Amino acid sequence: MSFDNITDVPGVKVGHVEDPKALTGCSVIITEEGAVCGVDVRGAAPGTRETDLLDPVNMVNKVHGICLSGGSAFGLDASSGVMRYLEEQGIGLDVSVAKVPIVPSAILFDLAVGDASVRPDADMGYVAAKKAARGIFKQGNVGAGCGATVGKIMGFEQCMKGGLGSAAITLDNGLTVGAMVAVNSLGEVRDPKTGECLASAIHPETGELVDSEEFMLSQVESFGRVGQNTTIGAIAVNAKLTKSEATKVSQIAHNAIGRTIYPAHTMFDGDTIFTLANGDRQFSLDVIGSLATQVLEKAIIRAIKEAESINGIKAYE
């Protein structure tokens, strides 16, 4: 049975929690048996935890979860709750005196959308991990996508609603690649197949969608605000990969951001993509990378199309 989301990859579970009043939330990916993990950070304003551990030269090889959260840097606390839940289940790196769950995480900025004093915390992360399961889940204004926005190149006041999206592809040879992403970019989002602008800054005088790159090139001085953006996500694959290979898949998958978000990887974004690999069969790394890019593109588009308007912020719908 296919769910057409990241949980199509065997051994991958997902849980979301959001606060519909404060407009923030977190999304958790659980890999109870552990998964080889790599990461690639392209944006210049990231907020992350445990990414140094994923460097191929470092020792720990497998992770037990990924936490994607709103709340800016405060939201990194949510991963502590994920660790607490996994420890209770006896899941983690065995260090003889305890099992230490390895849960890398990344955050996005949503403090300006709802109540800035309420952020995803350890309790929210715990609940999201406890809810993690395989199957169909709602997309758009859920989990880390609850307060996500896009098209902030003219300032937050002109933005549109972002969100969370997921997708998957399975080949006849048994290779499955899935993606999940929370889209919260400075730039606009376009459909890579048609070129249609799906969500961007809304011009305050004309009400039309702004061409973000054209606007950027017209600015003599800087634009945007540090820390108010970031697209974060994860790829999962049922293939046997090394940490170096998983990192390479993350690097290739960033092509999806470059094909859908304009401009991408700016000084005001902290774009981060993880890759989880938990299979025992080897496949072409180029094939995996190509599929990762395709499913991440699809997930980004879904995040925008499934989003709903909040607090006067218009959505694609």
Side-chain angles (χ1 to χ4, degrees):
M1 180 179 179
S2 174
F3 308 117
D4 197 14
N5 64 42
I6 196 170
T7 68
D8 278 355
V9 179
V12 172
K13 298 180 178 180
V14 168
H16 308 283
V17 175
E18 59 280 334
D19 185 326
K21 293 183 179 180
L23 296 173
T24 191
C26 70
S27 298
V28 174
I29 300 170
I30 298 295
T31 53
E32 295 173 346
E33 300 301 319
V36 173
C37 189
V39 67
D40 189 54
V41 180
R42 293 287 175 92
T48 59
R49 174 171 166 171
E50 295 280 36
T51 50
D52 281 350
L53 188 70
L54 303 181
D55 189 311
V57 304
N58 291 331
M59 186 174 179
V60 174
N61 199 44
K62 291 188 175 183
V63 307
H64 306 95
I66 298 290
C67 185
L68 307 177
S69 177
S72 190
F74 295 108
L76 292 172
D77 186 40
S79 57
S80 296
V82 181
M83 290 183 67
R84 173 158 50 94
Y85 172 78
L86 290 173
E87 183 185 22
E88 290 176 359
Q89 308 309 306
I91 297 169
L93 175 66
D94 192 342
V95 293
S96 76
V97 295
K99 287 190 176 180
V100 182
I102 307 300
V103 185
S105 59
I107 52 85
L108 56 79
F109 183 95
D110 56 10
L111 300 181
V113 181
D115 185 344
S117 68
V118 178
R119 286 88 60 157
D121 57 12
D123 289 340
M124 183 180 281
Y126 181 93
V127 174
K130 189 175 182 179
K131 291 174 64 176
R134 296 190 71 196
I136 295 172
F137 53 81
K138 185 180 178 183
Q139 302 186 32
N141 294 17
V142 299
C146 181
T149 51
V150 301
K152 287 162 280 190
I153 202 158
M154 294 184 73
F156 181 80
E157 297 76 12
Q158 312 309 134
C159 73
M160 287 183 66
K161 187 69 181 69
L164 181 134
S166 186
I169 295 175
T170 298
L171 301 184
D172 291 339
N173 62 8
L175 175 64
T176 299
V177 182
M180 188 172 78
V181 63
V183 185
N184 186 63
S185 57
L186 174 79
E188 67 193 56
V189 178
R190 302 179 193 172
D191 186 323
K193 293 183 178 179
T194 66
E196 176 193 2
C197 181
L198 305 178
S200 183
I202 300 175
H203 197 285
E205 296 177 2
T206 66
E208 297 179 348
L209 296 183
V210 173
D211 185 312
S212 297
E213 289 198 323
E214 186 176 287
F215 177 82
M216 177 183 68
L217 295 175
S218 72
Q219 302 304 296
V220 177
E221 298 181 356
S222 186
F223 51 88
R225 296 177 183 174
V226 174
Q228 290 198 357
N229 308 288
T230 296
T231 294
I232 51 178
I235 304 295
V237 56
N238 64 338
K240 184 178 181 180
L241 298 179
T242 64
K243 284 172 72 174
S244 295
E245 290 170 333
T247 300
K248 176 54 69 176
V249 172
S250 289
Q251 292 176 346
I252 297 170
H254 269 284
N255 288 333
I257 294 178
R259 293 174 185 174
T260 57
I261 298 175
Y262 296 79
H265 305 136
T266 74
M267 298 300 291
F268 305 100
D269 290 279
D271 304 328
T272 300
I273 301 297
F274 299 95
T275 292
L276 299 161
N278 63 359
D280 55 10
R281 293 177 59 193
Q282 292 185 321
F283 296 90
S284 163
L285 196 63
D286 288 315
V287 171
I288 294 171
S290 178
L291 292 177
T293 302
Q294 290 179 46
V295 294
L296 187 56
E297 286 178 9
K298 189 175 179 180
I300 290 170
I301 299 306
R302 280 186 173 171
I304 299 304
K305 290 190 173 182
E306 295 292 330
E308 300 172 4
S309 299
I310 54 171
N311 282 10
I313 300 173
K314 294 182 179 181
Y316 172 83
E317 66 168 357

